Amino acid sequence: MNAELINIGEELLLGLTENTHAAYLGRKLAEIGLGLERQVLVGDSMDAIAGAVGESLARSDLVITTGGMGPTSDDKTVEAVAALLGLELRTDRDVERGNEKLFRRLGKPLPNLVARQARVPEGAQVLLNEHGTAPGLVLKASKPYRAKWLVILPGPPRELQPMFEKRVLPILEKEYPGRRILEVRVLRVADLGESLIQERVEEKIRAHFPGVGIAYSARPGEVDFRLVTENRTGLADQAARLAREILGNDVFGNGDEELEAVVIGLLRKAGRTAATAESCTGGALANRFTNTPGASDVFLQGWVTYCNESKSRELGVTARALEIHGAVSEQTAREMAEGARKRSGADYALSVTGIAGPDGGTEQKPVGTVFIGLASTGETRVYKECYPMDRWTFKWRVAQRALNLLRLELLSKKVP
Amino acid sequence: MNAELINIGEELLLGLTENTHAAYLGRKLAEIGLGLERQVLVGDSMDAIAGAVGESLARSDLVITTGGMGPTSDDKTVEAVAALLGLELRTDRDVERGNEKLFRRLGKPLPNLVARQARVPEGAQVLLNEHGTAPGLVLKASKPYRAKWLVILPGPPRELQPMFEKRVLPILEKEYPGRRILEVRVLRVADLGESLIQERVEEKIRAHFPGVGIAYSARPGEVDFRLVTENRTGLADQAARLAREILGNDVFGNGDEELEAVVIGLLRKAGRTAATAESCTGGALANRFTNTPGASDVFLQGWVTYCNESKSRELGVTARALEIHGAVSEQTAREMAEGARKRSGADYALSVTGIAGPDGGTEQKPVGTVFIGLASTGETRVYKECYPMDRWTFKWRVAQRALNLLRLELLSKKVP
């Protein structure tokens, strides 16, 4: 049973936008056993869209398109598909009403062009969009095509993803009963490279579970270690338990659990609170904490003390620390963490001071140098790291390390 | 003159890895006038690779493949292409010697499998890989194919990108002399939907510049308005100037300028400084400010006053504001901004307080409600907005609005 994905959008071909749909939908389809066999990206013209959709419908069991559903003149997916399949367009009253309601809620007038997005091919099942104005569409395909269904989705990820998960997945699970279900277990590991993970676990997994597929996907400071079998034998689950035993607390979560959510959960369970004091990460750490719903129960406060004066004034960092040791130093990180903990009244405070770059490095403290402080009752520890990466990745990586240090502290494991 | 890109790799179809090649090569090819017309992603089988390469060679002037060049048995690009074009494989001594040298430098024994990577199709121009063991290959195509050249590149971005820029681009510029250079102008617009932009500008652009292509790509609170012509006529540039005239200060930048970088630039130019005080955005606004290198010249400090106590203690928000008006109110936003401005000594302070959700909404103040304060010399204004979106998007959208309010203030345009 195979699926094809057609991404539509001139901006993707011109390289102005990254195509995130292929990875997202590839993963989601694999999970329900509808392997993605081919993904195609075409521009916005009627010919290109109809051509690609026709080819894919002839070749695959399921075809999904993304994009080209906006209100403006360059969005032609619906027209192209209707022309290809010989369908008339009709105005869908539910879409129309939903869009009127959305704009009322936003307190803004409904633009005339949005009316275009309520035009759908006859016979299409319409999926209302909770986060935008373009509906999704599900169309039954028939001879001469091989495909059974054509699913048409809007382009913005925040519209597409909830629509796919809530509305499309249940349809696919019902309409493609004979597919081979993959059993996928993902262990999420922080602060440990994929080759080190492989060295520690792969041989043992292969010896005990020879039929289980193993894969790694690495991002800065984070690796997803994946175990896969077909047809829900339970073996991937058993292999994951063995891997978890070997890796211990290096595993921070399962599936798609985020590190910040795990930390918030541990704080809540322990009845503890946290605060942050950031220099070089400039709010990226507090931003991670507060990405989790309910963070306000345990996250009290953060400071972004970007200039030296604010480090002294807000957190009580001493002139001695700043002048003798420097703003990027173990001593400053220590005083920032202790000041933040004292002033906020939180049980734990994390501090960060470093050199994000691209400028500001020295031979002693090159770009990427960072000190991370963790203050708790009666003790403050400071960790020195070096992450010579682009500015955005550096900020993310440092926040990752800081969150993981707090997680390990909460698990009462001192890290070296 | 058009190009097609074929990405090869099972891990991309399974969604285990993001495909960054399409955007990178799309951009690079557009710059030299070899527009990417189609990008295809296929798995690792000989049939899938040969099928896709054959189709693309028949349809396009230039075909580029990426991936499937590794040393292991699942890498089959070279064999598939050789079989398709009826070419024998030979061992390339330069590749062999280069790989031996590379492993000597790493102080590691040369793995047996690497020898496979020195096998290349006869007649291929070989591009040595400075960052890995797989060479690039350039093959002349001929009848029955339309394509003139087939370029085969290794998959890892850090191998592919320098090879493409140093070795492939010069070949393409020489071999495709008649190509049509695209002239692309992008205007970036904040806080205005794509349909409203179209209503304001599209008719006028079409009337004055009928040959100029128009496209929109929208993200929350941000639209790229794109004007495209062929052959560097200067018309896209003229059309962009007309659009900029019509849209005025709604345009915040060109090309790939980020809003935060524009705001930092305006602050620097004006010799002014800024601070932030955030509740519901939890550091996302400070994080945007500090994404720009050199932000420390003008961004002094940020507070994430997540709990009510910290709003009073750090920023002097009154009990009256918190108890009578509530933490999410115009009055609290006003006092947060004024407190942050006074305490930091910055010229401008932005404050944010709202309900990020998913819980915490009321009928009066539903999820998505937010008050944004902007304090400057002698005046504080507060803006009420509603962005009923998922938590992550809400934070991004609010930061976008806050940055744009400061930008408009710096341009001395009062907004309604």
Side-chain angles (χ1 to χ4, degrees):
Chain A
M1 209 77 70
N2 64 64
E4 293 199 24
L5 173 63
I6 301 167
N7 302 119
I8 296 158
E10 206 66 43
E11 74 281 7
L12 297 166
L13 284 173
L14 286 168
L16 301 175
T17 309
E18 291 274 346
N19 178 7
T20 60
H21 295 320
Y24 169 79
L25 290 170
R27 210 163 46 233
K28 288 289 163 192
L29 289 167
E31 283 169 12
I32 62 158
L34 280 162
L36 193 60
E37 195 142 286
R38 188 186 265 248
Q39 167 263 334
V40 185
L41 166 57
V42 294
D44 293 317
S45 80
M46 292 276 286
D47 283 354
I49 298 169
V53 172
E55 276 175 27
S56 292
L57 284 174
R59 202 164 38 200
S60 282
D61 301 302
L62 166 68
V63 178
I64 299 177
T65 73
T66 69
M69 304 280 288
T72 48
S73 53
D74 54 333
D75 291 296
K76 302 196 178 84
T77 301
V78 174
E79 284 83 345
V81 166
L84 175 74
L85 302 179
L87 300 172
E88 296 290 322
L89 294 181
R90 66 173 183 85
T91 295
D92 188 278
R93 288 293 301 147
D94 290 336
V95 175
E96 225 171 31
R97 270 191 295 268
N99 289 344
E100 282 160 16
K101 219 165 98 184
L102 176 69
F103 274 82
R104 261 204 308 282
R105 207 163 38 143
L106 293 171
K108 293 190 174 151
L110 185 73
N112 291 327
L113 288 168
V114 168
R116 227 184 126 223
Q117 294 177 295
R119 302 283 291 165
V120 304
E122 53 178 353
Q125 182 177 344
V126 174
L127 313 178
L128 296 181
N129 186 339
E130 290 175 23
H131 302 274
T133 51
L137 301 168
V138 181
L139 279 158
K140 198 161 172 52
S142 55
K143 292 264 160 65
Y145 297 119
R146 170 174 161 188
K148 193 170 172 193
W149 294 99
L150 169 62
V151 176
I152 298 171
L153 298 173
R158 54 178 290 271
E159 302 178 17
L160 178 146
Q161 294 182 7
M163 185 183 285
F164 185 78
E165 279 165 54
K166 283 193 214 166
R167 303 295 312 277
V168 180
L169 273 182
I171 296 173
L172 299 183
E173 290 187 321
K174 188 169 140 275
E175 293 294 330
Y176 293 92
R179 68 201 188 277
R180 295 172 311 176
I181 306 292
L182 296 183
E183 184 193 357
V184 181
R185 289 291 173 278
V186 177
L187 298 181
R188 309 201 75 198
V189 182
D191 281 339
L192 195 64
E194 56 185 330
S195 46
L196 291 175
I197 298 173
Q198 174 170 348
E199 282 177 26
R200 277 167 61 183
V201 300
E202 193 165 311
E203 210 173 306
K204 284 177 195 154
I205 300 280
R206 291 214 187 281
H208 287 85
F209 303 97
V212 173
I214 296 176
Y216 304 83
S217 75
R219 287 173 297 284
E222 200 166 271
V223 173
D224 286 355
F225 176 61
R226 207 184 260 88
L227 297 155
V228 185
T229 52
E230 275 179 9
N231 294 326
R232 292 190 174 145
T233 54
L235 287 175
D237 199 50
Q238 290 175 43
R241 261 177 292 179
L242 174 59
R244 179 133 207 173
E245 222 166 78
I246 299 167
L247 292 169
N249 280 340
D250 288 330
V251 176
F252 69 80
N254 297 309
D256 52 7
E257 276 184 294
E258 296 291 349
L259 180 57
E260 51 264 43
V262 171
V263 171
I264 295 281
L266 288 171
L267 283 166
R268 185 177 286 126
K269 212 169 124 190
R272 300 295 160 89
T273 55
T276 55
E278 302 174 64
S279 187
C280 59
T281 43
L285 177 56
N287 193 30
R288 288 280 296 274
F289 265 106
T290 59
N291 277 345
T292 304
S296 55
D297 296 347
V298 295
F299 181 74
L300 301 184
Q301 187 181 353
W303 283 266
V304 181
T305 50
Y306 222 52
C307 65
N308 278 352
E309 295 70 40
S310 64
K311 291 181 184 72
S312 308
R313 188 178 56 234
E314 306 300 332
L315 302 169
V317 174
T318 58
R320 192 187 151 77
L322 292 170
E323 280 157 27
I324 297 179
H325 300 279
V328 177
S329 67
E330 178 177 343
Q331 187 60 25
T332 296
R334 178 179 302 276
E335 295 185 11
M336 283 173 72
E338 289 175 354
R341 182 168 175 272
K342 197 168 152 195
R343 191 159 172 110
S344 66
D347 298 302
Y348 295 100
L350 282 164
S351 71
V352 175
T353 180
I355 302 160
D359 304 314
T362 65
E363 199 161 319
Q364 286 284 307
K365 295 172 187 170
V367 166
T369 301
V370 64
F371 294 88
I372 304 175
L374 170 55
S376 53
T377 320
E379 192 184 13
T380 302
R381 270 167 293 133
V382 178
Y383 303 82
K384 184 183 178 185
E385 307 290 352
C386 190
Y387 301 122
M389 300 162 171
D390 67 272
R391 192 174 173 98
W392 192 95
T393 310
F394 169 86
K395 289 169 82 176
W396 199 91
R397 181 67 188 89
V398 173
Q400 179 78 358
R401 177 68 175 148
L403 286 166
N404 198 37
L405 286 168
L406 179 53
R407 181 182 71 89
L408 292 169
E409 173 72 28
L410 284 160
L411 293 172
S412 294
K413 303 283 170 188
K414 312 283 168 168
V415 290
Chain B
M1 208 77 68
N2 64 64
E4 293 199 23
L5 173 63
I6 300 168
N7 303 119
I8 296 158
E10 207 66 44
E11 75 283 5
L12 297 165
L13 284 172
L14 284 168
L16 303 179
T17 309
E18 293 273 346
N19 179 5
T20 59
H21 295 320
Y24 169 78
L25 290 170
R27 210 162 44 233
K28 288 288 163 191
L29 289 168
E31 282 169 13
I32 63 157
L34 280 161
L36 194 59
E37 195 143 285
R38 185 186 267 248
Q39 168 262 333
V40 185
L41 166 58
V42 294
D44 293 317
S45 79
M46 293 275 286
D47 284 354
I49 298 169
V53 172
E55 276 175 26
S56 292
L57 285 174
R59 204 163 40 201
S60 282
D61 300 302
L62 166 69
V63 178
I64 299 177
T65 74
T66 70
M69 303 282 286
T72 49
S73 55
D74 55 334
D75 290 296
K76 302 198 179 82
T77 301
V78 173
E79 284 83 345
V81 166
L84 176 74
L85 301 179
L87 300 173
E88 297 290 323
L89 294 181
R90 65 172 182 87
T91 296
D92 189 279
R93 287 293 300 148
D94 290 335
V95 175
E96 226 171 31
R97 270 192 294 269
N99 289 344
E100 283 160 15
K101 219 166 98 184
L102 176 68
F103 276 82
R104 261 204 308 282
R105 210 169 34 160
L106 293 172
K108 290 185 178 161
L110 185 72
N112 290 329
L113 286 169
V114 168
R116 228 184 125 225
Q117 294 177 294
R119 301 282 292 165
V120 304
E122 53 180 352
Q125 182 177 345
V126 175
L127 312 177
L128 296 181
N129 186 339
E130 290 175 24
H131 303 274
T133 51
L137 302 168
V138 180
L139 279 159
K140 198 161 173 53
S142 54
K143 292 263 160 67
Y145 298 119
R146 171 175 158 187
K148 192 170 172 195
W149 295 99
L150 168 63
V151 176
I152 297 171
L153 298 173
R158 55 182 288 275
E159 300 179 19
L160 178 147
Q161 294 182 8
M163 186 184 284
F164 185 78
E165 279 165 56
K166 283 192 212 164
R167 303 295 310 278
V168 180
L169 274 181
I171 296 173
L172 299 183
E173 290 186 321
K174 188 170 140 271
E175 293 296 329
Y176 293 93
R179 65 197 191 280
R180 297 168 305 179
I181 307 292
L182 292 185
E183 184 191 356
V184 181
R185 289 290 174 278
V186 177
L187 298 182
R188 308 201 75 198
V189 182
D191 280 337
L192 195 64
E194 56 184 330
S195 32
L196 291 175
I197 298 173
Q198 176 171 348
E199 284 178 24
R200 277 167 61 184
V201 300
E202 192 164 312
E203 209 173 304
K204 284 178 195 154
I205 301 279
R206 291 214 188 280
H208 287 84
F209 302 97
V212 173
I214 295 177
Y216 305 81
S217 68
R219 286 173 298 283
E222 199 166 272
V223 174
D224 285 354
F225 176 61
R226 205 161 59 243
L227 297 154
V228 184
T229 52
E230 281 175 4
N231 293 327
R232 293 193 173 144
T233 54
L235 287 175
D237 199 53
Q238 289 175 44
R241 262 177 292 180
L242 173 59
R244 180 134 206 173
E245 222 166 79
I246 299 167
L247 292 170
N249 282 339
D250 288 329
V251 175
F252 69 79
N254 300 307
D256 52 6
E257 276 183 295
E258 297 292 349
L259 180 57
E260 50 266 42
V262 170
V263 171
I264 296 281
L266 288 170
L267 283 167
R268 187 177 284 127
K269 211 169 125 190
R272 300 295 160 89
T273 56
T276 55
E278 303 175 64
S279 187
C280 59
T281 43
L285 176 57
N287 193 29
R288 289 280 297 272
F289 265 106
T290 60
N291 277 345
T292 305
S296 54
D297 295 347
V298 296
F299 180 75
L300 299 185
Q301 187 180 353
W303 283 266
V304 181
T305 51
Y306 222 51
C307 65
N308 278 353
E309 295 69 40
S310 64
K311 291 182 184 69
S312 309
R313 189 179 54 233
E314 306 300 332
L315 303 170
V317 175
T318 58
R320 190 186 152 77
L322 291 170
E323 281 157 27
I324 297 179
H325 301 277
V328 178
S329 67
E330 179 176 341
Q331 187 59 25
T332 296
R334 178 180 303 277
E335 294 186 12
M336 283 172 72
E338 289 175 353
R341 182 168 176 272
K342 198 167 150 197
R343 191 158 171 108
S344 66
D347 298 302
Y348 296 99
L350 283 165
S351 70
V352 175
T353 181
I355 302 161
D359 304 314
T362 64
E363 199 161 318
Q364 285 286 306
K365 295 171 187 173
V367 167
T369 302
V370 62
F371 294 87
I372 303 173
L374 172 54
S376 51
T377 320
E379 192 184 14
T380 303
R381 270 167 294 132
V382 178
Y383 303 82
K384 184 183 178 185
E385 306 290 351
C386 190
Y387 302 121
M389 301 163 171
D390 67 273
R391 192 173 173 98
W392 193 95
T393 311
F394 169 85
K395 290 169 79 176
W396 200 91
R397 180 67 187 90
V398 174
Q400 181 77 356
R401 176 68 174 148
L403 285 167
N404 199 35
L405 286 168
L406 178 54
R407 181 182 70 90
L408 293 169
E409 173 70 28
L410 284 160
L411 293 171
S412 294
K413 301 284 169 188
K414 312 285 166 162
V415 291

